[in-house]
C-alpha cells in the first residue's frame, strides 16, 4: 500500500480559483485530506477553492529525498464560499527540520597512509644510548677507600738511646744549626774595645779506632798561619766502619782567636793541630770550620749602656730561639721524628758587631742541637713496652710526633750528645695496622666489586673498605692501574 503523503505546493503567482483538482475527493472534513487518485480531476463547484495533485514525477522526487508538507495558501474570507470553508482547512506550515550539524570529526579517506615517525624516534634514541654507553666505557675508573685496623694504647715509659747503636738498639742522631740575629740601636757613648774572634770547628779522628783526647787551649792553625785555641777539653771518637767503609770519628768544639783584631774574622777554613807536627796524626786528626770566625776587633767603638744592652740581649734571645727552632725543624728527614723539647741551645752573649756615628749594630749568635729518632726503630721500641704481643705485625704510631718528650731526671739542659741519653715518652699512642698498598691494588685489578671485597676481607689489617666505580652502570674495577685510586681514609684531612 502506498504511503499517504500530504504535499503542499505553492503555485507561483496563481490564485486558488485557477487550480484544477486532479484527485477524487471522498470527504474533506475535520481538517483532513483523504487519499486521491492521480490524474483524476474533479471540477469543483463554482466559487470554491481548487486543489490539484502534483504529478508522479514530483512525488517520486520528494519521496526519494523526504516528505514535504503541504502548504495551502490562505484565501481571503471574502473570496471563499461556504462550501470551500467547509471542505478546505488552512493550516500553518510546520517548521522545516534543522539541517544536520557538522560532525566534530572527519573520516579518513582511503588514500596512502603516512609512515609513523614513532619507530624512527625510538631507533634514534636507542642509537644515542648505545653511543653514550660506548663512550662512557672508555672512561671507566674506580676509587677504593681503605680504613685500616687501629687501637689506642697508653704510653708512659723511659727509653735509652745511643749515638752509635749496635743492632736492635735504639739510636739517635744530632742535627745542629747556627744562626745570627742583630738589632741596630742609637749609641750612647764610646770606648776602646779589644775582642777576639770566635767560631765553631769540627774535629775529625781518622787515625785509629782509639779516641783522641785534646786539652783546653790546644792550638789549631789555618793555612794562613792564624792560630785559634780550643775553649774546652774534648775527646774525638775513634774511626768506625759502616757498610764496609771507614768513617772518621768527629766532635764539634768552640774556638777563639789567639789574638785580638779584625784579622781573625775569617770564613770557613781547614785546621791542623800544631802539637801533632811530625806525627802521623798530623794529617789524620784535623779540623774544619763549621761557622765563620767573627767578632774580632781592636780600637775605639761606639757603645750603648749596660742596661740597654741587657734589654736588647733578652729580645734577641727570644727571636734567636724561634728562628733556630723553625730552621732546624724544616731540615728533619721524613722518616725521622723530632721532639721540640729535645732541642738544646748554646747562645753567645750579645755584642757590638759594628758601629757608626748614627747607630750601633748589636749581634747575638746561637746554636741549636736537636735529637732525632728513626720512626720505625722508635715505634718497635715503644711497642715492645706497651704491646709486646703484636710486635710481629706491621704497625705504625700515627701520632708519634705529638707524644710528650722529656729528658730523664738529672739530665742537664744541654746534655752531652756524645753519650747515651735517657728520655721519657708519655701520652696515648694510636696504633694503626699497615698493609702493602701496591700489592693490594694489583690483586684487585679487573675484579668485580663483589670479588674485590672478598680479597680485601682476607687482609686482617683492614677494618673497612668502600669501592666506587664509574660510570654508575660499571660494576668492575678497571684493569689499568692508572684508572684505579686506592686511598687510606686515615690520611685524608
Amino acid at each position: 500500500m502506498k504511503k499517504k503523503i500530504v504535499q503542499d505546493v505553492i503555485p507561483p503567482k496563481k490564485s486558488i480559483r485557477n487550480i484544477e483538482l486532479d484527485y477524487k475527493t471522498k470527504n474533506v472534513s475535520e481538517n483532513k485530506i483523504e487519499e486521491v487518485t492521480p490524474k483524476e480531476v474533479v471540477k469543483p463547484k463554482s466559487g470554491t477553492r481548487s486543489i490539484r495533485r502534483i504529478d508522479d514525477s514530483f512525488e517520486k522526487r520528494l519521496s526519494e529525498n523526504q516528505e514535504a508538507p503541504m502548504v495551502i495558501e490562505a484565501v481571503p474570507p471574502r473570496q471563499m464560499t461556504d462550501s470551500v470553508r467547509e471542505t478546505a482547512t488552512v493550516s500553518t506550515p510546520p517548521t522545516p527540520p534543522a539541517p544536520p550539524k557538522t560532525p566534530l570529526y572527519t573520516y579518513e579517506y582511503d588514500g596512502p597512509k603516512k609512515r609513523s615517525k614513532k619507530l624512527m624516534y625510538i631507533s634514534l634514541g636507542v642509537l644515542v644510548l648505545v653511543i653514550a654507553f660506548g663512550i662512557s666505557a672508555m672512561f671507566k675508573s674506580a676509587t677504593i677507600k681503605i680504613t685500616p685496623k687501629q687501637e689506642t694504647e697508653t704510653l708512659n715509659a723511659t727509653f735509652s738511646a745511643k749515638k752509635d747503636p749496635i743492632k736492635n738498639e735504639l739510636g739517635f742522631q744530632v742535627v745542629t744549626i747556627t744562626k745570627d740575629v742583630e738589632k741596630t740601636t742609637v749609641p750612647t757613648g764610646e770606648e776602646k774595645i779589644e775582642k777576639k774572634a770566635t767560631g765553631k770547628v769540627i774535629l775529625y779522628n781518622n787515625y785509629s779506632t782509639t779516641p783522641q783526647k785534646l786539652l783546653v787551649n790546644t792550638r789549631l792553625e789555618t793555612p794562613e798561619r792564624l792560630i785559634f785555641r780550643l775553649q774546652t777539653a774534648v775527646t774525638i771518637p775513634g774511626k768506625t766502619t759502616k757498610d764496609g767503609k771507614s768513617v772518621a770519628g768527629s766532635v764539634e768544639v768552640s774556638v777563639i782567636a789567639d789574638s785580638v783584631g779584625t784579622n781573625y774574622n775569617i770564613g770557613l777554613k781547614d785546621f791542623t793541630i800544631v802539637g801533632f807536627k811530625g806525627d802521623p796524626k798530623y794529617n789524620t786528626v784535623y779540623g774544619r770550620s763549621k761557622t765563620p770566625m767573627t767578632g774580632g776587633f781592636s780600637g775605639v767603638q761606639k757603645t750603648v749602656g749596660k742596661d740597654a744592652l741587657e734589654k736588647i740581649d733578652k729580645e734577641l734571645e727570644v727571636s734567636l730561639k724561634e728562628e733556630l727552632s723553625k730552621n732546624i725543624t724544616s731540615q728533619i728527614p721524613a722518616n725521622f721524628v723530632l721532639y721540640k723539647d729535645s732541642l738544646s741551645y748554646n747562645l753567645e752573649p750579645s755584642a757590638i758587631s759594628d758601629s757608626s756615628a748614627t747607630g750601633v749594630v748589636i749581634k747575638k749568635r746561637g746554636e741549636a742541637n736537636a735529637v732525632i729518632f728513626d720512626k720505625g726503630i722508635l715505634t718497635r721500641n715503644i711497642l715492645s713496652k706497651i704491646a709486646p704481643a703484636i710486635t710481629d705485625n706491621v704497625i705504625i704510631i700515627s701520632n708519634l710526633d705529638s707524644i710528650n718528650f722529656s729528658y730523664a731526671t738529672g739530665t742537664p739542659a744541654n746534655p752531652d750528645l756524645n753519650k747515651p741519653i735517657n728520655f721519657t715518652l708519655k701520652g696515648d699512642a694510636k696504633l694503626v695496622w699497615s698493609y702493602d698498598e701496591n700489592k693490594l691494588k694489583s690483586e684487585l685489578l679487573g675484579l668485580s666489586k663483589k670479588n674485590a671485597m672478598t680479597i680485601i676481607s682476607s687482609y686482617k689489617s683492614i677494618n673497612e673498605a668502600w669501592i666506587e666505580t664509574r660510570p654508575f652502570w660499571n660494576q668492575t674495577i678497571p684493569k689499568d692501574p692508572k684508572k684505579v685510586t686506592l686511598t687510606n681514609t686515615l690520611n685524608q684531612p
Side-chain angles (χ1 to χ4, degrees), residues 358-425:
T358 57
V360 174
V361 178
I362 300 176
K363 180 181 293 186
K364 188 176 184 67
R365 170 173 292 182
E367 176 186 85
N369 295 297
V371 175
I372 61 174
F373 304 92
D374 182 278
K375 288 183 176 180
I377 297 175
L378 180 59
T379 297
R380 288 196 295 271
N381 279 266
I382 293 175
L383 292 176
S384 66
K385 293 181 179 293
I386 63 175
I390 57 176
T391 53
D392 293 336
N393 295 289
V394 181
I395 298 174
I396 63 173
I397 300 177
S398 60
N399 64 331
L400 189 62
D401 296 355
S402 60
I403 294 176
N404 295 323
F405 173 96
S406 62
Y407 283 110
T409 304
T411 304
N414 295 313
D416 185 355
L417 299 180
N418 293 311
K419 299 178 180 180
I421 61 172
N422 298 316
F423 61 94
T424 300
L425 294 177

Side-chain angles (χ1 to χ4, degrees), residues 70-88:
M70 179 180 288
V71 179
I72 301 176
E73 184 178 359
V75 180
R78 65 173 181 274
Q79 296 181 3
M80 295 181 61
T81 62
D82 292 337
S83 60
V84 173
R85 288 192 185 97
E86 296 176 356
T87 60

Side-chain angles (χ1 to χ4, degrees), residues 151-278:
E151 292 181 5
T152 301
E153 297 287 344
T154 301
L155 172 63
N156 185 2
T158 300
F159 302 85
S160 180
K162 297 179 180 179
K163 187 174 182 181
D164 298 305
I166 60 176
K167 187 177 181 181
N168 298 326
E169 287 186 333
L170 177 62
F172 70 90
Q173 295 185 26
V174 179
V175 178
T176 303
I177 188 170
T178 302
K179 191 173 181 63
D180 294 333
V181 293
E182 61 183 35
K183 182 177 181 179
T184 301
T185 187
V186 178
T188 58
E190 62 180 22
E191 62 179 290
K192 182 173 177 62
I193 301 294
E194 291 186 347
K195 293 177 61 179
K196 295 180 179 180
T198 58
K200 298 287 185 180
V201 173
I202 298 178
L203 298 177
Y204 295 93
N205 178 7
N206 202 24
Y207 175 72
S208 69
T209 57
T210 303
Q212 179 67 51
K213 294 183 179 181
L214 299 178
L215 302 176
V216 65
N217 290 327
T218 296
R219 293 175 296 167
L220 306 180
E221 186 179 38
T222 69
E224 294 81 13
R225 298 186 180 279
L226 295 175
I227 301 296
F228 290 82
R229 295 178 180 269
L230 298 182
Q231 292 184 294
T232 58
V234 295
T235 299
I236 308 174
K239 66 178 180 178
T240 59
T241 302
K242 290 185 179 180
D243 299 328
K245 295 182 179 179
S246 178
V247 179
S250 62
V251 65
E252 182 180 315
V253 295
S254 297
V255 297
I256 187 170
D258 196 42
S259 302
V260 299
T262 57
N263 292 338
Y264 287 84
N265 295 335
I266 59 175
L268 301 181
K269 299 290 182 176
D270 288 340
F271 295 87
T272 56
I273 298 175
V274 177
F276 288 158
K277 281 187 178 180

